Amino acid sequence: MAVYKLFPIKDATLYSGVPDTNTGLDQIIEIFNQNTSGGNSVTPYVSRFLTQFDQTQINDLFSNIGTSSWQAYLRCFLADASGVAMNATIYANPLAQDWDNGTGTYSDSPATTDGVSWKWRTGFSGSQWTSASFSTNITASFPSTNIGGGTWYYTSSNSTAPNPQTTQSFNTTSTKDLNIDVTDTVKLWNSGSISNYGF
């Protein structure tokens, strides 16, 4: 069985705590969900990462494999893990809007704002992530006080296969490397049913 590897053409982490900050040149992408306390309130602090693969390379693969049976996996390898809940689930959804990678890192001071961030798809004062009036099978998830964090395709009760939403679950002792079956999403990209904006 042949194995083909494609590497991302862009990736970035979105941080709800610094909604205008771009991290397009950070060497590590990051996901977490934690609560921060301040006075009598608790505020969720979330990070999500985006990654995109070249559609031309994907199409070239299909020209090589033809109608053969195949599967596609999103692979990401752990640099560090801490505070993992007893049971946790990671969702990988295809993005519903395009985004700019940008040239920032999390530690930039002042923050670089020329690309994607929690609030912006195309950089500060550019285009924001859609936050209402979503098209069919497109959604987003964010606190009402901190709009952003991407828009993506999901599975609704009336959607038809292929299924664009996939998951991987973890516990405290399982490996934390991502190995998520994204075959259905790649089928949707290859057929042109949805545009490839990444995960």
Side-chain angles (χ1 to χ4, degrees):
M1 174 176 60
V3 175
Y4 297 92
K5 296 180 181 179
L6 299 182
F7 295 92
I9 56 173
K10 58 183 181 178
D11 58 41
T13 303
L14 314 182
Y15 295 94
S16 66
V18 285
D20 297 322
T21 298
N22 172 258
T23 64
L25 292 187
D26 271 342
Q27 296 176 333
I28 293 179
I29 49 181
E30 186 172 25
I31 50 176
F32 63 75
N33 185 7
Q34 63 188 28
N35 292 321
T36 57
S37 299
N40 295 325
S41 64
V42 175
T43 303
Y45 185 25
V46 176
S47 80
R48 301 171 179 156
F49 76 80
L50 314 180
T51 187
Q52 186 176 1
F53 299 86
D54 189 326
Q55 187 63 44
T56 301
Q57 292 181 2
I58 293 171
N59 294 342
D60 288 346
L61 281 179
F62 279 102
S63 68
N64 289 329
I65 63 176
T67 58
S68 300
S69 177
W70 59 273
Q71 289 181 288
Y73 293 89
L74 176 63
R75 299 294 312 267
C76 297
F77 298 94
L78 179 70
D80 180 50
S82 61
V84 178
M86 204 54 186
N87 295 294
T89 301
I90 302 295
Y91 290 81
N93 293 63
L95 289 166
Q97 292 182 281
D98 201 6
W99 49 284
D100 292 341
N101 197 73
T103 62
T105 67
Y106 185 84
S107 60
D108 288 349
S109 181
T112 301
T113 59
D114 66 353
V116 69
S117 65
W118 183 267
K119 185 175 180 181
W120 305 94
R121 294 188 301 112
T122 58
F124 186 73
S125 298
S127 298
Q128 295 185 13
W129 294 105
T130 296
S131 59
S133 302
F134 299 109
S135 300
T136 303
N137 291 340
I138 295 176
T139 192
S141 176
F142 45 79
S144 60
T145 56
N146 196 0
I147 292 172
T151 59
W152 55 86
Y153 290 92
Y154 71 100
T155 304
S156 69
S157 58
N158 63 359
S159 67
T160 58
N163 177 358
Q165 178 174 276
T166 54
T167 64
Q168 182 175 342
S169 295
F170 305 92
N171 60 42
T172 52
T173 59
S174 63
T175 180
K176 306 304 184 292
D177 292 338
L178 294 187
N179 187 20
I180 303 177
D181 187 337
V182 293
T183 303
D184 283 350
T185 293
V186 177
K187 286 179 180 177
L188 290 167
W189 289 341
N190 186 55
S191 69
S193 299
I194 63 174
S195 296
N196 174 7
Y197 301 128
F199 295 99

